[in-house]
Amino acid sequence: MKSIPVKTILATSIASVVASTASAELIISQYVEGSSYNKAVEIYNTSSAEVSLSDYKLVKYSNGDANSPNDINFDNVSLAAGGVFVIASSSASDALLAIANQTSSSVNFNGDDPVAIVRISDGQTLDFFGQYGDTDFAKDASYDRVDNTVIADGVWNAAAWNVLAKDNYDGMGVAPNGDVVEPEPFSCSGAVLTPTYAIQGSGDTSPLIIEGSFSGGTHYTSGIVTDIVTSLYSGFFIQDATGDGDASTSDGLFVYSNTTPTGLQVGDEICVQGEVSEYYSSTQISMDSGAYEILSSNNQIQSTQLDLNSDSLLHDQLEPYEGMFVTTTNSDLIVSRNFSFDYGSYRNNMVMSYAEPIYKSTHLHVAGTEDEVKVAEENAKRTLYIDTDAKPADGVVPYFPDFNPEDGYIRVGDSISNLEGVIAYSYSQYRLIAGEDVVLAKSDFSRDLESDRTSYGPILADDGNLRVASFNVLNLFNSPFGGAANAFGDNRGAEVDSEYQIQIAKIANAISMIDADIVGLMEIENNGFSDTSAIAALVDQINTTQPASALPYSYVSAGDNVGTDAIAVGLIYRADAVSLVGNAVKIDMPEQHGTDSEGEQFDKYMRVSLLQKFKHKETKRKLSIVVNHLKSKGSACIEDTANENDAQGNCNAFRVSAAVTLGDYLAENVKGDILVMGDLNAYGKEDPIRVLTDYDASASERKIMTAEQASLNGEAINGGVAVEAAKSYGFTNLVEHFQGPKAHSYTYSGELGSLDHALANKSLLRKVVATDDWHINSAESNLFEYSSQYTGDLAKSTNAYSSSDHDPVIIEIEYTKRGDHGEKPKHESPLEILFNIFKRLFSFLWG
């Protein structure tokens, strides 16, 4: 234990020095280098007069480097003659924090970082502890000053210190005469207050901060506490009780503090002193240690309704609310991204936008165009993140305890009433921090009937006599659960049988409700076509699930495997509605082998496409369907390093090569009605879709290029160099054609778009009467999917919703026995008849 007489000796010896020499004013009287964050320095006023600590600073020299000073400024307080002042790590133990007069995260030395007291006015070192050079001179110990000699800069004087055990800081904060030095109680009495709204101002930054400066100086301010935060942020929010009545200035403010003031509660009126600053574009006041006074308690602040419009970006409209206590009721905010993971803050949260969801820029506009770039830039400013201070547990929406997959769901497009919290800013986003006492009921979520779940399947604008669908089944693997093994030794689906049973039941329920005659599948396990294959298991499950009156499904067999990936495409159909014409054809896709501009080796593959011709039994009409799953945007391809700013994601040129390969194959080998469908991993206006539909090379400023170092069946494509895709293949994007550009089947990072497409050639287009996406997945939370890896104790359901991460695409076709849509065949003129005779003759003779 440290004894008081040690400091008595110190006081006596220093007094004799002071009587005969110039006073050092301040010296380092104790140094603690304890476990973890238990770090502290005690400063002693040796003079006979009060000293203002703001005239001095503590300097830490990291790793003993004299050229790496780290300045730690003292609070603007006075230290009485003979008094001591303790500055400790802001993360020290509670016992050490109770002693500290000031805390700082910069007090983080590790026994090899000397410290000095420096007078700011002339840069003179008054006292020094440690030694320069990377040596552990004071590791895992406490040092108590016993010698009366002032230590010069850079000098190590071991005789001046009494070495104590690690974490022994008894006596710290006690003056040499044995008195405990209590800091003067902080008071705002007589201080000039700067209102919160004057600190916030009407601009993006505080008007108190001069351009080019990081600080707006030290100010006093006060307000009612609206929230106390210790996790996502550290400190508390205050709001002026009356405000200034100016809608352009916020009445609220964030007060940064390492520790919550003792006894502080929401509703307290508090006065604080601190430095005004912009912390990563968030206006705040950093409260000086202990510089607060609680003025009153149990005050009430009513939440402010967000008054928003479509005239400007949401971020611009939220700036005047920064730090304020608000509500979403009647704000026209809607859910744009469901409750899921945020890679900015690394926690689950939700995103809202104004009036409508946010759409991927390249789904609406051609990549690189002025419109596309503008939408991409603005999308990040159309958002309000809904957060809580405490990090949510897996599968839990803190402000909505009734969250469940049956009747407590949240869908994209929902508006939410009674969601209250403070507006904060971090990770380049505005965030509404919902209060701990916010508990929403199911009735607080509202949506149009058209956008709600239904107990029945998709209803399209028109009915045909042949329904076709496309569905990504989210890695449906049955090999770990008694199914046939795949040849690739990979399982991308359910990890345990209970998850698999939920997964296959959800998919079967969805497909049963779709009620299509033909369904193209993506992401089904590539484990063949035996009775124990994944596609056979799915067909069995669907036939068991759907009503007994429904026609049973069969699956198209395509040999041992479809390509060389663990997942593949597939086709199932109702043999009572359509029959197979010939065998299925696997259309080989390009590969990419070579090195990129940085010398990295690449060997990339594209999943094989599957072509099957069907005959409609009722009308005898024939339809060729090609199911595709192109390379994902999350992969890495050779051209990516040269196109880092391409908004279309990785492997775009590789997908273009696949589109060209597919288009060429179909043009050369398939006649009649053709439907190209599947997960093309390209949004509506991205290059692969444009190549297959309406790309006009002569009118496009930006040329669409194929992949370099690409090959097909071992032969280099275009000599292995990238070339322009000089033509398009004339297909029509059916969902866009029938539903408009904002039709969507997928959501990623809060942006809607379509990766799943149905493309019809000209002859088929005349027979398609309706097409739509069925929003059973993109509008739902992915926490309801089969996997329990990140969902904790959240209950699961076998309903169709969240059966995948992609929506099914539904196509209604009307086939008749005589002309399209019942019309009689068109009468040809004699000239047309003659022309067609020569055309057929030419085709017969020369192919």
Short mmCIF file of all heavy atoms in Angstrom, two decimals, residues 192-199 208 218-222 253 276:
data_model
loop_
_atom_site.label_atom_id
_atom_site.label_comp_id
_atom_site.label_asym_id
_atom_site.label_seq_id
_atom_site.Cartn_x
_atom_site.Cartn_y
_atom_site.Cartn_z
N VAL A 192 -22.48 32.30 -20.05
CA VAL A 192 -23.26 32.70 -21.22
C VAL A 192 -23.56 31.45 -22.03
O VAL A 192 -22.65 30.78 -22.52
CB VAL A 192 -22.49 33.72 -22.08
CG1 VAL A 192 -23.30 34.07 -23.33
CG2 VAL A 192 -22.20 34.98 -21.26
N LEU A 193 -24.83 31.11 -22.16
CA LEU A 193 -25.22 29.88 -22.86
C LEU A 193 -25.36 30.13 -24.36
O LEU A 193 -25.92 31.14 -24.79
CB LEU A 193 -26.54 29.36 -22.32
CG LEU A 193 -26.59 28.94 -20.84
CD1 LEU A 193 -27.96 28.40 -20.50
CD2 LEU A 193 -25.52 27.91 -20.54
N THR A 194 -24.85 29.18 -25.13
CA THR A 194 -25.07 29.18 -26.58
C THR A 194 -26.15 28.15 -26.87
O THR A 194 -25.94 26.95 -26.66
CB THR A 194 -23.78 28.79 -27.34
OG1 THR A 194 -22.73 29.67 -26.95
CG2 THR A 194 -24.00 28.88 -28.83
N PRO A 195 -27.32 28.55 -27.32
CA PRO A 195 -28.42 27.58 -27.53
C PRO A 195 -28.03 26.49 -28.52
O PRO A 195 -27.18 26.69 -29.40
CB PRO A 195 -29.56 28.44 -28.06
CG PRO A 195 -29.23 29.84 -27.65
CD PRO A 195 -27.74 29.92 -27.67
N THR A 196 -28.67 25.36 -28.39
CA THR A 196 -28.39 24.23 -29.29
C THR A 196 -28.60 24.62 -30.75
O THR A 196 -27.81 24.23 -31.62
CB THR A 196 -29.29 23.04 -28.96
OG1 THR A 196 -30.66 23.46 -28.98
CG2 THR A 196 -28.97 22.47 -27.58
N TYR A 197 -29.65 25.38 -31.03
CA TYR A 197 -29.94 25.74 -32.42
C TYR A 197 -28.90 26.72 -32.98
O TYR A 197 -28.66 26.76 -34.18
CB TYR A 197 -31.35 26.30 -32.58
CG TYR A 197 -31.75 27.32 -31.54
CD1 TYR A 197 -31.33 28.64 -31.62
CD2 TYR A 197 -32.58 26.96 -30.48
CE1 TYR A 197 -31.71 29.58 -30.66
CE2 TYR A 197 -32.96 27.88 -29.51
CZ TYR A 197 -32.52 29.19 -29.61
OH TYR A 197 -32.90 30.11 -28.65
N ALA A 198 -28.27 27.50 -32.09
CA ALA A 198 -27.20 28.40 -32.55
C ALA A 198 -25.94 27.61 -32.85
O ALA A 198 -25.15 27.98 -33.73
CB ALA A 198 -26.92 29.47 -31.50
N ILE A 199 -25.74 26.51 -32.14
CA ILE A 199 -24.60 25.63 -32.42
C ILE A 199 -24.83 24.89 -33.74
O ILE A 199 -23.93 24.75 -34.57
CB ILE A 199 -24.37 24.64 -31.27
CG1 ILE A 199 -23.94 25.40 -30.01
CG2 ILE A 199 -23.34 23.58 -31.64
CD1 ILE A 199 -23.81 24.53 -28.78
N LEU A 208 -20.35 28.05 -35.90
CA LEU A 208 -19.29 28.43 -34.97
C LEU A 208 -17.92 27.97 -35.43
O LEU A 208 -16.90 28.42 -34.90
CB LEU A 208 -19.59 27.85 -33.58
CG LEU A 208 -20.95 28.22 -32.97
CD1 LEU A 208 -21.10 27.58 -31.60
CD2 LEU A 208 -21.10 29.73 -32.87
N THR A 218 -14.84 26.42 -27.20
CA THR A 218 -15.54 25.92 -26.02
C THR A 218 -16.77 26.77 -25.73
O THR A 218 -16.70 28.00 -25.73
CB THR A 218 -14.60 25.91 -24.81
OG1 THR A 218 -13.49 25.05 -25.09
CG2 THR A 218 -15.32 25.41 -23.57
N HIS A 219 -17.89 26.11 -25.47
CA HIS A 219 -19.16 26.80 -25.23
C HIS A 219 -19.93 26.11 -24.12
O HIS A 219 -19.71 24.93 -23.81
CB HIS A 219 -20.01 26.81 -26.50
CG HIS A 219 -19.41 27.60 -27.63
ND1 HIS A 219 -19.72 28.92 -27.85
CD2 HIS A 219 -18.51 27.24 -28.58
CE1 HIS A 219 -19.05 29.35 -28.90
NE2 HIS A 219 -18.30 28.36 -29.36
N TYR A 220 -20.83 26.87 -23.52
CA TYR A 220 -21.82 26.33 -22.60
C TYR A 220 -23.14 26.22 -23.35
O TYR A 220 -23.52 27.13 -24.11
CB TYR A 220 -22.03 27.26 -21.40
CG TYR A 220 -20.87 27.38 -20.44
CD1 TYR A 220 -19.79 28.21 -20.71
CD2 TYR A 220 -20.87 26.66 -19.25
CE1 TYR A 220 -18.73 28.34 -19.83
CE2 TYR A 220 -19.82 26.76 -18.35
CZ TYR A 220 -18.75 27.60 -18.64
OH TYR A 220 -17.71 27.71 -17.76
N THR A 221 -23.87 25.12 -23.14
CA THR A 221 -25.20 24.99 -23.72
C THR A 221 -26.05 24.14 -22.79
O THR A 221 -25.54 23.49 -21.87
CB THR A 221 -25.15 24.37 -25.12
OG1 THR A 221 -26.43 24.50 -25.76
CG2 THR A 221 -24.78 22.89 -25.09
N SER A 222 -27.35 24.13 -23.03
CA SER A 222 -28.25 23.36 -22.18
C SER A 222 -29.41 22.82 -22.99
O SER A 222 -29.69 23.30 -24.09
CB SER A 222 -28.77 24.22 -21.02
OG SER A 222 -29.61 25.25 -21.52
N LEU A 253 -29.07 18.43 -30.24
CA LEU A 253 -27.61 18.37 -30.34
C LEU A 253 -27.11 17.12 -29.64
O LEU A 253 -27.63 16.71 -28.59
CB LEU A 253 -26.99 19.61 -29.68
CG LEU A 253 -25.48 19.76 -29.75
CD1 LEU A 253 -25.01 19.98 -31.18
CD2 LEU A 253 -25.03 20.93 -28.86
N VAL A 276 -17.17 22.54 -29.41
CA VAL A 276 -18.04 22.29 -30.56
C VAL A 276 -17.18 21.82 -31.72
O VAL A 276 -16.11 22.39 -32.00
CB VAL A 276 -18.81 23.57 -30.95
CG1 VAL A 276 -19.57 23.36 -32.26
CG2 VAL A 276 -19.77 23.97 -29.84
#
